[in-house]
Amino acid sequence: MEIKDLLRKELMIMDLKASTKMEAIDEMIEKLKTEGIISDADEFKKLILAREEKSSTGLGEGIAMPHAKTSVVVKPSVLFARSHKGLDYDSLDGEPVHIFFMIAASEGAHDLHIETLAKLTKMLLNDDFTKGLLTCNNSDEIYALVDKYSEKPQETNEIKNEVNNDKRKKILAVTACPTGIAHTYMAESALVEAAKKLGVEIKVETNGADGIKNHINSSDIKEAEGVIIAADKKVETARFDGSLAIVTSTADAIKNAETLINKILNKEATTFKAETNDNSEEDKKENDSIGRIIYKSIMSGVSNMLPFVIGGGILLALSFVVERFLGNDSPLFKLLFDIGAASFHFLIPVLAGFIAMSIADKPGFMPGAVAGYMASQGAGFLGGLIGGFLAGYSIIFLKKATKNMSKQFDGMKSMVIYPIFGLAITGILMYFVIGPVFTQINIKVAAFLNSMGTVNAVILGALLGGMMSVDMGGPINKAAYTFSIGVFTDTGNGAFMAAVMAGGMVPPLAIALAMLLFKNRFDEKERQSTLSNFILGLSFITEGAIPFAAKEPLKVISSCIVGAAIAGGLTQFWNVSAPAPHGGIFVIPAMPSVHSAIFFIVSIAIGTIVSALIFGTLRKNKI
């Protein structure tokens, strides 16, 4: 089958009108629909976008290959489109895309179709071919160009030793992408070309839509220096156990093939450890450092708890607003308050349950959740956190203790041994140790917070506010938020909640304000996010600032920390208290007093202005 059998003249758009990625996708899909290539445009678009979410099909060098394999494709085809002005397609190299090949593969596409598509993807790595596509005036010239470059014999993906008796070093590679069409073969070609340039023998196994080709066997592995596993989906890797290996994406292989090969040759890769049994995940957890285990487990608990915090917190805040206007006898107040309070009853059980589950998988969840419930009766947030770890490691202990039991008792382990004995061990420790100890700790913490002077409160508020801007949603941010949630749930004191909320709102608000005050220091694309950053900041979504922090981490983070710390400290100086653990500016109507509402806004405003001025001053030129 020739490429022209799939790339027909009626499927060529010589001057794409779109100016954005979504417009380009819509325009190309509309052409496929009009020509009868697809039966359901919405379904095809859904799959195209699902592929884009995994990784952009903007391959770099001005080329994009959006593609989908689905039963709504009536006739396997390739659409060619060209944008003279170019458009932003989230490409790997960040450059505008001018050339598009949208691939519509049918669910039952046979090997000839896939082989033809593979030829096309390899041709796109030829600079002369892609340059020619930019200058063709019509479909006939496109066909002539395709004929010119497809007539050349394709390179085999195994480069053999051709000269003298010098034995070349040999490396291996495996390429695979979710649909098995474009990235799989472009990664293969990029690696082959790089190996040829470096004088290295290479064998590339492709896991494409037409199955596994050029399979790597045990003798290949013995002869090779190492392997590059460029895969965006699961592939067979156990065979590489003990080999030097680099595990990466097809996009990385396409863009950095030569670098990857040199890492193998220079022994800069790591020894691959295959997962050979059912306990592999457990083994990996055991090999983690204590600090990493604690961090991962707490983050799992906190992230799963947050929906309860946000949903329950907002409804509680709304109930306080209703109470202010209609009184606490209002049915609407009671409804909102009861629902919000019900959500808050789950905070500590969910936190502890998911901490335990992170440690011991599903068997850990039940005893962890029960430990959390027991902690909510007095031991509080910290007691629940410790209870989650107790439950998780109780299950780990039971797993080790029953490891050598006959396999016929496997069902009994999960249905009887783990739940009964795991709950018993955890419950006893919570009842006699954790509960009493942390109940007393909470009493002392509450007394300390109530007696804390203004200076100490301001310092702590500034620290918490600043922490919210250090990594904007990362572990330091979550640590500050978790501490404040603990104080809020255990004592009902919303002061520190106000500090972290103000600190977390500053970064996106400050960036938005800086773009208004220093317009000439931001490009048009950046300024398009001004409104969204204002909205995100007002909603207490710190992560809105992350794209800017990723570009200029030192300037953005340093300026935001200063403003966030000021905002957090000022909330404590003015005795501001938050009525709910989330909501941002939208909790203001529910503030316990007009004083709190006014000075909450003033604290955020001052912090935002300070950060915006610092960031705008530091950013002298556009990126």
Side-chain angles (χ1 to χ4, degrees), residues 283-536:
D283 292 341
K284 284 197 289 186
K285 287 176 184 176
E286 287 181 8
N287 292 330
D288 276 345
S289 67
I290 295 296
R292 179 149 181 81
I293 291 171
I294 292 172
Y295 164 69
K296 286 167 63 178
S297 301
I298 293 176
M299 286 302 101
S300 175
V302 170
S303 62
N304 283 285
M305 179 191 71
L306 280 179
F308 293 86
V309 173
I310 296 168
I314 296 297
L315 289 181
L316 280 176
L318 288 174
S319 74
F320 298 142
V321 175
V322 172
E323 181 186 28
R324 179 165 295 174
F325 291 100
L326 301 179
N328 57 17
D329 292 330
S330 165
L332 181 57
F333 162 73
K334 291 180 179 179
L335 176 64
L336 293 174
F337 182 84
D338 287 347
I339 295 173
S343 175
F344 264 53
H345 286 313
F346 285 92
L347 296 191
I348 300 177
V350 167
L351 171 77
F354 278 97
I355 286 175
M357 187 173 173
S358 174
I359 294 167
D361 298 320
K362 289 182 181 179
F365 182 79
M366 184 274 289
V370 174
Y373 174 77
M374 294 176 72
S376 68
Q377 306 305 302
F381 197 85
L382 284 176
L385 191 147
I386 299 299
F389 282 97
L390 279 178
Y393 282 105
S394 293
I395 297 298
I396 293 294
F397 166 75
L398 291 171
K399 285 183 176 182
K400 290 182 179 295
T402 59
K403 188 174 183 179
N404 296 322
M405 286 181 67
S406 172
K407 287 190 176 292
Q408 64 184 354
F409 293 109
D410 282 352
M412 183 180 172
K413 289 180 186 178
S414 59
M415 296 301 294
V416 178
I417 296 175
Y418 297 158
I420 293 176
F421 289 95
L423 180 59
I425 295 170
T426 304
I428 290 169
L429 289 171
M430 288 297 298
Y431 191 84
F432 289 105
V433 181
I434 304 301
V437 169
F438 279 90
T439 297
Q440 291 302 312
I441 289 175
N442 282 336
I443 292 170
K444 292 179 180 179
V445 168
F448 169 75
L449 293 174
N450 289 330
S451 65
M452 190 165 52
T454 300
V455 174
N456 289 334
V458 169
I459 292 172
L460 184 52
L463 176 63
L464 293 170
M467 288 172 68
M468 294 297 289
S469 289
V470 172
D471 51 3
M472 302 180 187
I476 297 174
N477 171 288
K478 288 291 189 294
Y481 188 70
T482 301
F483 170 81
S484 302
I485 282 281
V487 173
F488 186 85
T489 55
D490 292 345
T491 69
N493 186 335
F496 298 122
M497 204 71 252
V500 299
M501 203 179 298
M505 293 167 69
V506 164
L509 290 175
I511 286 170
L513 182 60
M515 287 190 285
L516 288 180
L517 298 177
F518 303 89
K519 289 183 179 180
N520 61 325
R521 299 184 182 182
F522 297 87
D523 60 37
E524 183 179 352
K525 184 178 178 182
E526 289 172 325
R527 291 199 301 272
Q528 289 174 355
S529 67
T530 301
L531 179 59
S532 63
N533 268 289
F534 271 125
I535 294 172
L536 291 170

Side-chain angles (χ1 to χ4, degrees), residues 63-138:
I63 302 167
M65 291 191 75
H67 52 276
K69 183 180 179 184
T70 168
S71 59
V72 303
V73 173
V74 178
K75 186 185 297 184
S77 304
V78 176
L79 177 146
F80 168 77
R82 184 176 64 195
S83 171
H84 290 293
K85 59 186 177 182
L87 57 90
D88 183 359
Y89 202 83
D90 301 323
S91 294
L92 301 177
D93 59 0
E95 295 297 318
V97 170
H98 294 272
I99 298 169
F100 299 84
F101 284 95
M102 179 171 275
I103 299 172
S106 62
E107 202 68 72
H110 54 69
D111 288 357
L112 283 177
H113 287 150
I114 303 302
E115 288 173 7
T116 305
L117 292 172
K119 289 179 184 178
L120 175 61
T121 59
K122 294 172 185 178
M123 287 165 61
L124 289 172
L125 292 175
N126 188 315
D127 288 340
D128 293 332
F129 177 64
T130 54
K131 288 176 182 176
L133 291 172
L134 291 172
T135 57
C136 290
N137 296 311
N138 52 52

Side-chain angles (χ1 to χ4, degrees), residues 117-167:
L117 292 172
K119 289 179 184 178
L120 175 61
T121 59
K122 294 172 185 178
M123 287 165 61
L124 289 172
L125 292 175
N126 188 315
D127 288 340
D128 293 332
F129 177 64
T130 54
K131 288 176 182 176
L133 291 172
L134 291 172
T135 57
C136 290
N137 296 311
N138 52 52
S139 57
D140 289 329
E141 292 184 13
I142 295 287
Y143 267 14
L145 191 70
V146 169
D147 282 338
K148 178 181 178 181
Y149 287 94
S150 61
E151 285 172 357
K152 291 186 176 183
Q154 297 295 312
E155 293 283 353
T156 176
N157 67 358
E158 185 169 6
I159 299 175
K160 300 293 184 182
N161 187 13
E162 298 171 353
V163 294
N164 302 326
N165 294 318
D166 296 332
K167 187 169 179 60

